Amino acid sequence: MSLRDNPALDAWLAGVLDLPGARVTAVDKLSGGAIQENWAVTVAAGATTRRVVIRRDAPATIAASRSRAEEYALIAAAHRAGVRVPQPLGFCDDLSVIGAPFAAMAWVGGTGYGPKVVRDTSLGGDRAALGRELGRQMALIHAIDPDPALAAILGPRPADPALAAVAGLRGWLDARPAPRPGLEWALRWAERHAPPPDRVTLTHQDFRTGNVLVDAQGLTAVLDWEFAAWSDPACDLGWFCARCWRFSRPDLEGGGLAARADVLAGYADAGGTVPDPARVRWWEVMAHARWAVIALQQGDRHASGAERSLHLALTGRIADTLEYQLLRMTAPEAA
């Protein structure tokens, strides 16, 4: 269903923006959003214009992705807690408007494409300061105390987040016909070396270079909350610092943007309890395993015929490289 020349959408946006007579005058599909569709929508009423982002499901998705309603609730909670997210404007579950549930958020400027952000030092401002700010944002997320409605979305807290993460990935691999012995080895290693349970907090689960927007001054927004869940807060630090998300700067352990020490300093300054380095390193191994599984799921979206896409097909091939890196990380001499 079109986003332009759509009276139902015009009326809905006029209501949430408090902009009587508003109508959509321009629509642009945004790059990124590997699992969801993101559209930049310009809304005008007389001389007043507003730019809004509409986020809805892509034709095919993956099982671990939350619904748009759940993701919107998480973004709204983060916004209330002072996390730098786009301002949530409203959620619509009326299928007659655009044919699918969708969330609307205020437009935020910036660049998000990970390889470009890492290479282009004109983006992000002072990179040490950016690393500290990203650490601060993670600490703010981990300090969120969900209200009953959000807690119901998140479900029970896992007693042992590390072993629960291993079991979740193994269950998906066991259900997939094609064997992945390298991933099975890595998960067995992770099971045998899992850190004991510690704190369990709300975690973003995809906090990485590529899911943050930056401009010339620094961070503008933390995006993509569709995987947020209860877990060990070290999982976000491990995911952000994992080698697979450093792109062309493997030497900068803070997401290819800054030193690991900068990220941890910002985390501590904002009240976060810095985990033992070995705990974070374990979650870095799991980051590679989880990204490999997600890559395979993305490739399966293409192979299923539900969403034919060269990008999805090529993403599935990334799993081979990740599997190789996992074997290096979990080799007996490395352990």
Side-chain angles (χ1 to χ4, degrees):
M1 195 174 293
S2 175
L3 302 184
R4 286 197 66 174
D5 301 318
N6 184 332
L9 178 60
D10 291 344
W12 187 86
L13 287 169
V16 299
L17 296 174
D18 191 20
L19 203 59
R23 65 185 186 87
V24 173
T25 58
V27 176
D28 296 293
K29 189 173 184 180
L30 299 174
S31 60
I35 298 171
Q36 316 305 333
E37 286 185 358
N38 298 299
W39 298 82
V41 174
T42 301
V43 181
T48 302
T49 61
R50 294 279 300 274
R51 207 164 186 210
V52 173
V53 172
I54 286 180
R55 183 165 166 87
R56 68 181 180 188
D57 284 329
T61 186
I62 64 176
S65 176
R66 292 192 175 278
S67 71
R68 301 290 60 72
E70 292 174 339
E71 183 185 42
Y72 183 82
L74 285 155
I75 293 171
H79 188 264
R80 292 192 296 270
V83 181
R84 197 167 299 180
V85 295
Q87 179 189 0
L89 300 173
F91 180 79
C92 180
D93 58 5
D94 183 349
L95 301 186
S96 69
V97 177
I98 65 170
F102 66 94
M105 287 160 282
W107 167 267
V108 177
T111 301
Y113 183 52
K116 177 176 175 59
V117 171
V118 166
R119 289 194 306 268
D120 188 348
T121 55
S122 70
L123 295 170
D126 179 271
R127 289 298 179 93
L130 177 61
R132 292 191 295 272
E133 180 59 29
L134 290 166
R136 177 178 173 271
Q137 294 296 315
M138 277 188 271
L140 292 176
I141 294 168
H142 299 161
I144 293 173
D145 183 15
D147 62 23
L150 188 61
I153 289 172
L154 295 170
R157 299 186 191 220
D160 191 326
L163 291 182
V166 172
L169 295 182
R170 179 176 285 144
W172 185 85
L173 284 175
D174 287 348
R176 194 171 188 267
R180 302 293 304 202
L183 281 175
E184 295 289 359
W185 164 274
L187 291 177
R188 179 58 175 154
W189 179 95
E191 184 178 54
R192 290 173 61 86
H193 295 84
D198 192 10
R199 293 189 305 138
V200 177
T201 69
L202 174 64
T203 56
H204 183 280
Q205 295 280 315
D206 202 10
F207 195 109
R208 61 175 177 84
T209 304
N211 279 342
V212 295
L213 289 179
V214 299
D215 61 14
Q217 285 70 50
L219 178 72
T220 61
V222 178
L223 306 177
D224 289 354
W225 290 73
E226 61 200 307
F227 296 117
W230 296 118
S231 191
D232 182 335
C235 79
D236 275 346
L237 289 163
W239 185 260
F240 183 72
C241 291
R243 184 184 180 94
C244 56
W245 297 125
R246 300 176 201 165
F247 300 103
S248 58
R249 290 301 305 270
D251 55 310
L252 292 176
E253 295 184 340
L257 301 171
R260 182 187 297 256
D262 293 324
V263 177
L264 295 179
Y267 188 76
D269 288 346
T273 300
V274 177
D276 179 84
R279 181 180 290 270
V280 178
R281 296 288 186 186
W282 185 90
W283 282 104
E284 288 179 58
V285 172
M286 285 297 290
H288 285 77
R290 180 170 162 241
W291 177 207
V293 166
I294 293 172
L296 290 170
Q297 291 172 333
Q298 296 288 63
D300 288 349
R301 287 169 63 192
H302 166 79
S304 72
E307 188 176 356
R308 304 294 288 181
S309 162
L310 178 61
H311 174 71
L312 291 177
L314 292 175
T315 299
R317 302 300 300 172
I318 293 173
D320 298 337
T321 303
L322 293 164
E323 198 166 14
Y324 171 73
Q325 186 63 34
L326 278 165
L327 291 174
R328 290 174 59 89
M329 297 171 77
T330 60
E333 59 270 21

